[in-house]
Amino acid sequence: MFSRHTITDKVAFALVAFFLGELGDGLNIFQGIYLVALGWNEGSVGIALSIMGFTALLTQTIAGDIIDKTTFDRRKFLALAALMTAFSASAILFVHEGNVDHALMYVTKIIEGVSSSFIGPCVAALTLASFGPDQFDEVMASNILWGHVGSVVSAVLAGLTAWITYPNIRYCFLVIGFSALLAVVGVKLLPEGDVLMGRGLKGNSNKVAVHSGDDGNDYTNMDVEGASSWSSTQGNVSSPKCKANSVAAEESAISSYWEVFSDRKTLVLCATGFFFHFANANVLLVLGELMSGDDEDGNTNRSAIPLIAGAIVLAQFTMSGATYAGDKMTKGGWGRKPLFLAGLLTLPLRCFLIIFWIDAGEAYLLSTQILDGVGGGFIGLLHPYLVADITFGTGRFNLVMGLTASCFGLGGTLSNLLGQMVVENFGHVASLTASMFLSVIPIVLFTLAMPETAGSRGKNTKPEPVFVESDGVSA
């Protein structure tokens, strides 16, 4: 049962997740539609959006490793990343009409790629550090849920702003920039937690999950110099020497890079995520282009941004429901594998329906976002669960979060780049057909090669050396 302090921490994480969620899919999709309206061709838009992905690809694994090893407050990393995202979102206001100002967009996308690389690992590390492995799933589910709610609110506000200020729709990006600034403010409310546990080591995890430890002592969440830490009411392990020995024991258990990177489950998750996002990322952009047809003057239809906002709202709303349902199902004993597979299976069906309904009207096309929401909800929820299952006890949690995010991002980047090239040369149907056939690959791969990981968390530890103080008290 949560204490008053723990509930406060959980609410703080939910608030930050909400504001960070407002920086989600809407930023890239709205920018893509807006740049096309200014005169950019689809290929140039694909390159601009891909630069962010390639930058994130190069930095996400490194960012995860930095978050694992750092002695610097992870909250400051998160605040800086959100601030840089705010500047990136606002820079598009300075792009002029015509197929110009490519350099400006490319530079801001590089900045956005670097900053976004730290956001996911920071949130996951701070959550694990503050709540431990036993409560990690519950709090991460809350974070993901409120992130989706933030995306819904952002899309609604951006769509309304674009409608009201039409034809000066660029002002909708101020909504996203303002959300990033609010996230920076919210980060100050977060606890720092157990630094070692934040990288996937045991730390004091047995004291975090419950208020009474296995030894019968009562444990409370104490605030020491602004950072949350767990301490025994009897104080048996509070001496500096015991703490130093405990840290040394934990650090000796860290797995090597090779042990982590060569793990079969890690490789399967990376490959599955790559192929899923390679097939998936361009679909929403294509859907947006299909629903944003030009008006009689050759300009982007006034309803284009609100329609895209509606697509994002519908998907994110469904993701919220899928996240909530997935959390309840995992608590009820469902394994990771069937839920992840359910998410993967939505993509080929979604592509088929968009192709089938391509001339049926905007309402039909919009409805396909329900499948995007179900798939994104399950996969987004299960991703950190799987990484925690695979890596807890290795000390490489954030490294693998970064590695898997890099592989997912590489797939999404190539999808935007190649998908838009296919649209430019062969049309929207060809691009959607390619995505539909590619989406079968991750389904087959995950079905055949990924074992069930539920219940395996914490079984990746090495034997720890025993440190004994001179007075005979074991650390």
Side-chain angles (χ1 to χ4, degrees):
M1 186 174 180
F2 294 110
S3 69
R4 182 182 182 91
H5 183 82
T6 305
I7 292 174
T8 302
D9 289 344
K10 186 177 180 181
V11 171
F13 274 97
L15 284 172
V16 172
F18 173 82
F19 291 123
L20 291 175
E22 294 189 307
L23 313 179
D25 291 338
L27 182 59
N28 270 336
I29 301 303
F30 287 160
Q31 284 185 345
I33 300 301
Y34 176 63
L35 291 174
V36 170
L38 286 180
W40 286 42
N41 58 50
E42 288 84 354
S44 297
V45 171
I47 292 173
L49 301 186
S50 298
I51 285 178
M52 173 190 167
F54 279 122
T55 303
L57 168 67
L58 296 174
T59 57
Q60 279 177 320
T61 304
I62 298 171
D65 199 29
I66 291 172
I67 297 303
D68 269 336
K69 295 177 178 178
T70 187
T71 57
F72 192 68
D73 192 337
R74 293 176 176 125
R75 294 171 294 185
K76 294 180 180 178
F77 274 113
L78 182 57
L80 180 60
L83 190 62
M84 297 306 294
T85 302
F87 287 128
S88 174
S90 303
I92 196 171
L93 297 173
F94 301 99
V95 176
H96 296 87
E97 189 172 355
N99 195 16
V100 296
D101 293 328
H102 291 181
L104 174 62
M105 285 303 302
Y106 295 165
V107 170
T108 59
K109 283 300 174 183
I110 291 173
I111 294 172
E112 190 181 338
V114 174
S115 62
S116 67
S117 299
F118 284 90
I119 290 177
C122 279
V123 172
L126 288 167
T127 302
L128 185 59
S130 300
F131 296 93
D134 293 333
Q135 296 182 34
F136 174 78
D137 289 1
E138 179 179 353
V139 180
M140 275 302 294
S142 173
N143 294 346
I144 294 168
L145 173 62
W146 284 104
H148 291 318
V149 174
S151 294
V152 170
V153 173
S154 176
V156 169
L157 291 177
L160 287 174
T161 302
W163 178 267
I164 294 169
T165 62
Y166 182 85
N168 296 316
I169 62 175
R170 66 181 183 276
Y171 294 114
C172 71
F173 299 110
L174 291 177
V175 173
I176 301 171
F178 184 65
S179 301
L181 295 178
L182 291 176
V184 173
V185 175
V187 167
K188 295 181 179 180
L189 303 174
L190 300 180
E192 184 177 7
D194 186 317
V195 176
L196 284 176
M197 202 183 318
R199 69 176 299 179
L201 292 171
K202 284 185 177 179
N204 291 317
S205 60
N206 61 311
K207 303 171 189 176
V208 173
V210 293
H211 287 288
S212 295
D214 294 335
D215 57 4
N217 294 336
D218 292 328
Y219 294 97
T220 55
N221 193 344
M222 308 294 290
D223 190 72
V224 181
E225 296 181 353
S228 295
S229 62
W230 290 85
S231 60
S232 168
T233 58
Q234 295 184 8
N236 292 337
V237 292
S238 61
S239 72
K241 188 170 183 179
C242 278
K243 290 179 180 179
N245 287 342
S246 178
V247 170
E250 289 288 350
E251 291 182 344
S252 70
I254 296 173
S255 299
S256 68
Y257 290 116
W258 173 250
E259 289 175 314
V260 173
F261 290 159
S262 62
D263 184 277
R264 172 189 167 187
K265 296 185 289 293
T266 300
L267 294 174
V268 172
L269 182 58
C270 287
T272 300
F274 167 82
F275 282 111
F276 175 79
H277 288 280
F278 183 47
N280 179 68
N282 186 57
V283 175
L284 180 56
L285 191 54
V286 171
L287 183 66
E289 291 165 354
L290 289 173
M291 294 193 301
S292 63
D294 295 342
D295 58 24
E296 295 178 357
D297 299 325
N299 298 317
T300 299
N301 193 306
R302 183 178 184 181
S303 63
I305 293 294
L307 279 171
I308 300 304
I312 295 171
V313 166
L314 183 57
Q316 293 293 335
F317 183 79
T318 311
M319 283 181 196
S320 300
T323 299
Y324 180 82
D327 179 44
K328 293 297 183 183
M329 293 170 77
T330 55
K331 288 178 180 177
W334 282 69
R336 319 300 200 202
K337 189 169 182 176
L339 294 179
F340 201 88
L341 276 171
L344 296 176
L345 286 165
T346 61
L347 181 55
L349 178 59
R350 177 182 170 216
C351 292
F352 171 79
L353 289 176
I354 294 174
I355 295 171
F356 186 73
W357 286 334
I358 197 165
D359 296 318
E362 294 163 349
Y364 285 90
L365 293 176
L366 197 61
S367 68
T368 62
Q369 285 299 96
I370 294 174
L371 291 170
D372 185 35
V374 173
F378 282 153
I379 292 172
L381 177 68
L382 272 297
H383 174 210
Y385 287 14
L386 287 165
V387 173
D389 291 344
I390 295 167
T391 64
F392 191 80
T394 68
R396 302 294 186 185
F397 170 68
N398 299 294
L399 175 69
V400 176
M401 280 295 291
L403 175 65
T404 52
S406 290
C407 293
F408 294 8
L410 175 61
T413 297
L414 292 175
S415 180
N416 283 328
L417 179 62
L418 299 178
Q420 286 299 290
M421 289 182 176
V422 172
V423 169
E424 189 175 359
N425 291 283
F426 302 101
H428 294 97
V429 173
S431 182
L432 290 167
T433 303
S435 290
M436 182 173 64
F437 283 106
L438 285 169
S439 66
V440 176
I441 297 176
I443 296 171
V444 174
L445 179 62
F446 199 80
T447 300
L448 298 180
M450 190 64 161
E452 178 58 63
T453 64
S456 65
R457 192 169 300 174
K459 297 180 180 179
N460 302 299
T461 56
K462 296 179 180 179
E464 298 179 4
V466 177
F467 296 92
V468 181
E469 290 192 273
S470 58
D471 61 3
V473 178
S474 174

